[in-house]
Amino acid sequence: MAVYKVKVATGDILQAGTRNSISITLVGSRGESRQTSLNSWFQPGMEKDLTVRCERDLGPVVLIRLHKWRLFLEDAWYCKDVRVTAPDGTLYRFPCYHWLEGVTTVQFREGSGKKLADDELEVLKEHRRQELKARQEAYQWKNFADGWPRCLNVDSILELDSNVQFSCVRATTFTGALIFQRASHLLAAFLLRPTSWKSLDEMRSIFSRTRGREIVPEYVARHWREDDFFGYQFLNGNNPIIIQQCMALPAKFPVTPEMVAGSLGGGTNLGKEMQEGRIFIVDYEVLEGIPASIIHGRQQHMAAPLCLLHQGADGRLRPVAIQLSQTPGPTSPIFLPSDAEWDWLLAKTWVRNADFYSHQLLTHLLRTHLFGEVFAIATLRQLPSCHPLFKLLIPHFHFTLHINTLARSVLINPGGVITKGSGVTYEGMLLIVQRGLEKVTYTSLCLPDDIRHRGMAHLPNYHYRDDGMSLWEAIESFVSGIVAFYYGEDKAVSGDAELQAWVMDIFTNGFLGRTSSGIPSSLQTVAELNKFLTMVVFTCSVQHAAVNNGQYDLGAFLPNSPSSMRHPPPAEKGKAFLQHFLDTIPEVDTTANILVALILLSSRLKDMRFLGQYPEERFTEVEPRRLIRTFQGRLEEIRDSIEERNHHAELRYNYMNPLETENSISI
Ligand code: FE2
């Protein structure tokens, strides 16, 4: 008689318990036990002990089966883990972290072991095949729109598997916030008229009572007109990835040395500044010819501006020339800081409006949310739960499928927040993202390469770059440790069929098989794998935090980031004045709607998991857990250095503080 001691733990989360009947089967390399009942009634956080008796020793325990059965009412159960102590005292750990629903049997394999698919027992190979088959049926790709990354084939959050849905706590707080957003929207439609703001100061009243959240918006309201702050936002605003060094002016932007001589300061000229790397450019070409929407029966307008910036002797970045179209000519003048106050301010505001679309649709939606979803689906489809890269990556997709499914229902759908509250039509939005994906490169997704490629290595006060590089290196060091432990050599990487299928799934369905993007379709070496994994984790955590967390701060004062423009871009100078400006930026009610959406998108919801926090112990070996602790220690150092810098700063840059950076895209 062989006696096995079993401990079954229920997750310590709301609704995790069950009153349905649960039983277990142990599977060893030499046979399996009989199905043994655990009785019913599990409460959240509860651990249950039982004894499984077998006629003979099962050999190493490699697999368990959990069986859930119900007589009447369904009561889903969230199993945390199972520990089995064999007669010889060996402890086997089975990390589960899985919802069991309905009448079902789910198998889990033992957590440790470096074995890849090729050299394991037949029973485990079969388990791998079955698990992936079931996942590939549950998580299927679909086309949301032509030229977009493919997404999960569901139409609503109700179709989502419990294992990828919001937790009860998160769902409750998010639903509350969503109801607030909807109620505010209706209230705004009832109380507010679609009229222009009476003054710029009046717009400050809208966030003056947001207790604790008004500090940065107040700062923005005081400084938004200044060239310094305009330049600062290209480095440390919501869209810090589109500025690049300008070594030669494009023909479509014919700025002359005379035009900018006054802005560059004495003793220098445009050619010299360009040669020495102090001229920068932002080009919103992607917006050219995009159809604009109609709000309140009134045609809105869009532009595709170009902006030239200069790094002054004090190190600060300031705009020196703006052209509001891609076609130079008499009806598209080049605006300069020496122009009349309202001409220059309006030109800068058009750039900020273009930046709103570029940020929301490309930098935020496409390059974090949609790619994050692609990585998540490919991981669920191609990597079994026992795969070390599944264990490494799955925490970085926590809630991503849920938030993206919601976004497709209320944010980017026809008639959703984006098309109702901004100047872009639904068709225009589809086109911008399609064009954006055509331009995405692997270089641009890997921060060190991206910084080099954009020529941004030496500009001072580029906190996005500095914080991002520290975090990139911390993530790289962590994932390299995991890869070294499980793979060791290049042959193990190139020979891992599941890993290769995963990369190919991402290449095919996320980047539509475009080889010119430089996105790999296979990985041959440990170094290639380290870089790719770092990119995935960085995109889903740090990059999303950098472009998501400041939305309310920098967008609450709407002239700084108008979501729509009601007049066409000026075709000549000398026509802009205050009332024209107020009649161009969004009306009172549109402002209120955008603001409420920004509050929702910048909310601190319950059940947040921050970078490097892995409450689910999926790795059971000592080394990966040591690597996690080292990673957490490094993140604490980065946090301290960010907070030290912020302590002395006029305007703090905290969006990439590990204390504010979620492990995954969940909002
Ligand atoms: Fe987001």
Side-chain angles (χ1 to χ4, degrees), residues 195-232:
T195 54
S196 298
W197 288 89
K198 290 197 186 74
S199 72
L200 290 166
D201 268 347
E202 191 189 32
M203 300 182 83
R204 296 166 79 152
S205 62
I206 203 160
F207 52 76
S208 61
R209 292 183 195 84
T210 51
R211 273 182 294 170
R213 300 192 64 183
E214 80 289 4
I215 297 167
V216 180
E218 283 287 356
Y219 181 94
V220 173
R222 286 198 303 276
H223 296 276
W224 70 285
R225 296 168 186 242
E226 298 166 11
D227 288 354
D228 278 15
F229 185 62
F230 180 86
Y232 170 91

XYZ file of all heavy atoms in Angstrom, residues 195-232:
334
model
N -21.736 74.595 -27.017
C -21.243 75.939 -27.320
C -19.766 76.039 -26.958
O -19.236 75.230 -26.210
C -22.002 76.991 -26.476
O -21.898 76.594 -25.105
C -23.451 77.085 -26.868
N -19.140 77.079 -27.483
C -17.725 77.297 -27.186
C -17.570 77.703 -25.728
O -18.484 78.264 -25.110
C -17.174 78.420 -28.059
O -17.265 78.068 -29.407
N -16.392 77.438 -25.188
C -16.065 77.941 -23.859
C -15.997 79.467 -23.922
O -15.592 80.046 -24.938
C -14.719 77.382 -23.405
C -14.803 75.930 -23.055
C -14.636 74.870 -23.901
C -15.111 75.378 -21.773
N -14.818 73.689 -23.219
C -15.105 73.967 -21.905
C -15.394 75.925 -20.517
C -15.362 73.112 -20.846
C -15.639 75.070 -19.459
C -15.637 73.670 -19.629
N -16.410 80.108 -22.789
C -16.416 81.585 -22.792
C -14.999 82.132 -22.670
O -14.681 83.200 -23.178
C -17.266 82.105 -21.630
C -18.757 81.839 -21.826
C -19.564 82.742 -20.881
C -21.042 82.421 -20.936
N -21.368 81.157 -20.251
N -14.150 81.397 -21.942
C -12.773 81.854 -21.784
C -11.884 80.656 -21.489
O -12.379 79.572 -21.151
C -12.676 82.849 -20.622
O -12.825 82.149 -19.404
N -10.604 80.836 -21.598
C -9.675 79.741 -21.292
C -9.674 79.442 -19.804
O -9.555 78.287 -19.385
C -8.264 80.102 -21.772
C -8.119 80.133 -23.297
C -6.830 80.820 -23.697
C -8.159 78.717 -23.858
N -9.834 80.494 -19.010
C -9.850 80.298 -17.557
C -11.042 79.453 -17.119
O -10.946 78.663 -16.181
C -9.891 81.650 -16.836
C -8.477 82.131 -16.533
O -7.550 81.298 -16.670
O -8.306 83.317 -16.200
N -12.166 79.648 -17.818
C -13.374 78.895 -17.463
C -13.124 77.384 -17.560
O -13.679 76.596 -16.799
C -14.508 79.288 -18.408
C -15.861 78.774 -17.964
C -16.935 78.974 -19.027
O -16.602 78.913 -20.234
O -18.084 79.172 -18.664
N -12.239 76.983 -18.461
C -11.974 75.554 -18.667
C -11.261 74.937 -17.465
O -11.262 73.723 -17.305
C -11.123 75.357 -19.921
C -11.799 75.889 -21.156
S -10.841 75.613 -22.633
C -11.291 73.954 -23.015
N -10.644 75.785 -16.660
C -9.933 75.243 -15.489
C -10.904 74.781 -14.413
O -10.564 73.920 -13.599
C -8.985 76.283 -14.901
C -7.894 76.655 -15.854
C -7.175 77.888 -15.444
N -6.212 77.648 -14.395
C -5.123 78.386 -14.220
N -4.870 79.387 -15.043
N -4.300 78.137 -13.241
N -12.116 75.364 -14.420
C -13.069 75.026 -13.365
C -13.431 73.549 -13.403
O -13.802 72.952 -12.400
C -14.343 75.866 -13.527
O -14.931 75.545 -14.776
N -13.272 72.939 -14.564
C -13.735 71.565 -14.741
C -12.917 70.555 -13.928
O -13.411 69.519 -13.516
C -13.751 71.216 -16.248
C -14.713 70.086 -16.545
C -12.391 70.936 -16.786
C -15.136 69.998 -17.979
N -11.652 70.845 -13.676
C -10.875 69.883 -12.879
C -10.409 70.456 -11.554
O -9.669 69.816 -10.825
C -9.655 69.367 -13.665
C -8.793 70.445 -14.234
C -7.933 71.164 -13.425
C -8.854 70.742 -15.580
C -7.144 72.165 -13.955
C -8.064 71.732 -16.115
C -7.210 72.453 -15.300
N -10.865 71.677 -11.226
C -10.336 72.328 -10.030
C -10.759 71.624 -8.742
O -10.193 71.846 -7.695
C -10.774 73.782 -9.991
O -12.175 73.823 -9.941
N -11.812 70.758 -8.851
C -12.272 70.098 -7.620
C -11.982 68.594 -7.630
O -12.661 67.816 -6.994
C -13.773 70.335 -7.450
C -14.106 71.778 -7.153
C -15.586 72.000 -6.914
N -15.905 73.406 -6.978
C -16.153 74.065 -8.098
N -16.133 73.440 -9.257
N -16.421 75.352 -8.071
N -10.986 68.174 -8.377
C -10.726 66.736 -8.455
C -9.748 66.255 -7.387
O -9.083 65.250 -7.557
C -10.211 66.329 -9.860
O -9.132 67.190 -10.198
C -11.275 66.389 -10.904
N -9.653 66.973 -6.321
C -8.895 66.616 -5.105
C -7.673 65.715 -5.318
O -7.787 64.501 -5.424
C -9.837 65.970 -4.080
C -10.510 67.019 -3.215
C -11.387 66.377 -2.201
N -12.512 65.687 -2.839
C -13.324 64.886 -2.216
N -13.169 64.650 -0.946
N -14.317 64.316 -2.838
N -6.532 66.343 -5.388
C -5.283 65.584 -5.493
C -4.899 65.286 -6.930
O -3.748 65.051 -7.230
N -5.898 65.291 -7.830
C -5.595 64.976 -9.226
C -5.517 66.247 -10.065
O -5.402 66.181 -11.282
C -6.657 64.041 -9.786
C -6.719 62.737 -9.023
C -7.556 61.732 -9.740
N -6.959 61.372 -11.019
C -7.531 60.547 -11.881
N -8.686 60.020 -11.617
N -6.934 60.252 -13.014
N -5.636 67.426 -9.400
C -5.662 68.666 -10.154
C -4.270 69.291 -10.277
O -4.090 70.262 -10.993
C -6.638 69.665 -9.497
C -6.119 70.423 -8.269
C -5.965 69.553 -7.026
O -6.192 68.345 -7.112
O -5.593 70.101 -5.981
N -3.268 68.719 -9.579
C -1.964 69.390 -9.507
C -1.313 69.517 -10.893
O -0.931 70.616 -11.306
C -1.024 68.635 -8.531
C -1.648 68.686 -7.131
C 0.373 69.247 -8.512
C -1.019 67.748 -6.132
N -1.217 68.417 -11.611
C -0.583 68.494 -12.936
C -1.473 69.260 -13.922
O -0.976 70.144 -14.631
C -0.195 67.088 -13.455
C 0.455 67.195 -14.829
C 0.755 66.419 -12.478
N -2.804 68.977 -13.989
C -3.636 69.793 -14.878
C -3.521 71.305 -14.597
O -3.508 72.113 -15.522
C -5.055 69.285 -14.610
C -4.860 67.869 -14.196
C -3.585 67.849 -13.416
N -3.415 71.684 -13.327
C -3.234 73.107 -12.999
C -1.899 73.612 -13.557
O -1.815 74.716 -14.071
C -3.260 73.320 -11.471
C -4.652 73.290 -10.851
C -5.460 74.541 -11.171
O -4.926 75.458 -11.811
O -6.650 74.572 -10.798
N -0.879 72.791 -13.433
C 0.438 73.157 -13.976
C 0.323 73.344 -15.499
O 0.833 74.306 -16.066
C 1.467 72.067 -13.643
C 2.855 72.388 -14.140
C 3.789 73.015 -13.315
C 3.238 72.093 -15.457
C 5.065 73.326 -13.778
C 4.502 72.401 -15.932
C 5.410 73.020 -15.087
O 6.665 73.344 -15.562
N -0.370 72.393 -16.133
C -0.541 72.453 -17.590
C -1.279 73.738 -17.972
O -0.888 74.441 -18.912
C -1.309 71.207 -18.099
C -1.645 71.332 -19.582
C -0.497 69.945 -17.846
N -2.343 74.051 -17.215
C -3.125 75.255 -17.517
C -2.270 76.527 -17.391
O -2.509 77.513 -18.081
C -4.335 75.333 -16.585
N -1.287 76.496 -16.536
C -0.407 77.676 -16.379
C 0.671 77.740 -17.464
O 1.141 78.803 -17.797
C 0.272 77.645 -14.998
C -0.638 78.000 -13.832
C 0.170 78.365 -12.590
N 1.074 77.318 -12.171
C 0.733 76.273 -11.408
N -0.508 76.159 -10.982
N 1.621 75.348 -11.080
N 1.080 76.581 -17.988
C 2.266 76.560 -18.861
C 2.009 76.122 -20.301
O 2.950 76.096 -21.095
C 3.324 75.626 -18.254
C 3.844 76.106 -16.927
N 4.860 77.033 -16.820
C 3.467 75.812 -15.662
C 5.101 77.270 -15.534
N 4.267 76.548 -14.813
N 0.779 75.773 -20.653
C 0.552 75.147 -21.954
C 0.926 76.041 -23.136
O 1.248 75.559 -24.206
C -0.916 74.712 -22.082
C -1.873 75.872 -22.196
C -2.264 76.699 -21.201
C -2.514 76.328 -23.383
N -3.131 77.651 -21.666
C -3.301 77.434 -23.012
C -2.519 75.913 -24.706
C -4.074 78.140 -23.939
C -3.300 76.610 -25.619
C -4.067 77.718 -25.231
N 0.899 77.356 -22.950
C 1.238 78.251 -24.061
C 2.743 78.330 -24.318
O 3.171 78.796 -25.370
C 0.806 79.679 -23.737
C -0.671 79.885 -23.589
C -0.863 81.267 -22.972
N -2.239 81.520 -22.660
C -2.954 82.490 -23.204
N -2.416 83.302 -24.078
N -4.209 82.656 -22.862
N 3.531 77.933 -23.322
C 4.972 78.172 -23.414
C 5.655 77.180 -24.358
O 5.352 75.992 -24.339
C 5.601 78.058 -22.009
C 5.046 79.092 -21.052
C 5.395 78.775 -19.592
O 6.228 77.871 -19.351
O 4.803 79.420 -18.711
N 6.603 77.688 -25.136
C 7.338 76.826 -26.068
C 8.128 75.752 -25.324
O 8.258 74.629 -25.801
C 8.297 77.669 -26.926
C 7.532 78.504 -27.944
O 6.296 78.334 -28.057
O 8.160 79.339 -28.625
N 8.647 76.102 -24.167
C 9.409 75.127 -23.371
C 8.551 73.906 -23.031
O 8.990 72.763 -23.145
C 9.842 75.750 -22.031
C 11.087 76.590 -22.194
O 11.427 76.915 -23.349
O 11.709 76.915 -21.172
N 7.317 74.170 -22.582
C 6.444 73.070 -22.166
C 5.974 72.265 -23.385
O 5.844 71.035 -23.326
C 5.254 73.609 -21.367
C 4.384 72.514 -20.807
C 4.894 71.600 -19.897
C 3.061 72.378 -21.205
C 4.107 70.570 -19.395
C 2.264 71.362 -20.709
C 2.787 70.459 -19.804
N 5.746 72.985 -24.483
C 5.377 72.312 -25.742
C 6.489 71.332 -26.137
O 6.234 70.176 -26.484
C 5.172 73.379 -26.819
C 4.787 72.858 -28.162
C 3.457 72.614 -28.481
C 5.760 72.618 -29.142
C 3.100 72.145 -29.742
C 5.412 72.147 -30.400
C 4.080 71.913 -30.692
N 7.743 71.778 -26.078
C 8.879 70.909 -26.401
C 9.035 69.776 -25.403
O 9.274 68.621 -25.780
N 8.838 70.100 -24.125
C 8.977 69.104 -23.043
C 8.062 67.900 -23.279
O 8.437 66.751 -23.024
C 8.647 69.786 -21.715
C 8.507 68.857 -20.536
C 9.602 68.537 -19.737
C 7.267 68.303 -20.201
C 9.469 67.674 -18.650
C 7.126 67.439 -19.122
C 8.222 67.136 -18.351
O 8.093 66.285 -17.283
